[in-house]
Amino acid sequence: MSMDLRKNLIAAILSPLIVLPVLGFCYFYAGIENYTSLSSLISGVGFGVSIGMGSLFYFYPLMFIYGLPISLLLQKLNLFKLPVVLILSILPVFLLSLFSEFNRATLVLHLLVLSMGLTSWLIYNKLR
């Protein structure tokens, strides 16, 4: 297995895990926005992380079906730069949001795919 393919596979395996802290933070923010008690705030963050665990069943296949081939193509074309990766990572969600109502859940989905693209790019570039 070539070094580039190994780096891409490691990035594809690790980058969807960023969903857990991002969703935890989103539910933390929503808990602060509707603050009632500290225990409800903590349980909200726990709920966000558990939702993130469930959403990994969606993000891992999408990473291997869409993210990994795009990453390999961009590297082949020598276009694996952060702005290009971020634009191509948000493009499918942006196109879907054109045909649906834009709400807070859509905004969180945009944040999730951007964080996955950024994490994938960082992991690939930091591996030796």
Side-chain angles (χ1 to χ4, degrees):
M1 184 181 324
S2 73
M3 187 62 170
D4 282 340
L5 183 59
R6 184 176 306 152
K7 287 169 54 173
N8 277 307
L9 285 176
I10 291 171
I13 290 170
L14 292 179
S15 64
L17 293 175
I18 195 69
V19 168
L20 302 175
V22 168
L23 278 176
F25 177 75
C26 288
Y27 276 87
F28 177 73
Y29 176 75
I32 288 177
E33 194 175 62
N34 302 323
Y35 182 76
T36 56
S37 69
L38 185 60
S39 63
S40 68
L41 183 67
I42 292 170
S43 67
V45 171
F47 181 71
V49 171
S50 64
I51 291 292
M53 297 282 281
S55 66
L56 287 176
F57 289 108
Y58 297 108
F59 284 118
Y60 270 114
L62 288 175
M63 186 66 181
F64 282 98
I65 292 170
Y66 178 74
L68 191 58
I70 291 292
S71 176
L72 292 170
L73 179 67
L74 287 176
Q75 290 164 17
K76 191 80 136 171
L77 298 173
N78 203 18
L79 290 172
F80 195 67
K81 312 270 186 283
L82 183 59
V84 177
V85 169
L86 292 179
I87 288 170
L88 288 178
S89 66
I90 202 167
L91 187 67
V93 176
F94 178 73
L95 292 175
L96 285 175
S97 69
L98 290 177
F99 302 108
S100 65
E101 179 183 346
F102 192 82
N103 53 21
R104 187 176 285 181
T106 309
L107 185 63
V108 169
L109 190 57
H110 281 81
L111 178 65
L112 288 174
V113 296
L114 280 175
S115 63
M116 279 179 55
L118 175 66
T119 306
S120 176
W121 183 81
L122 284 172
I123 290 172
Y124 179 82
N125 286 322
K126 296 300 177 187
L127 287 176
R128 304 221 183 258

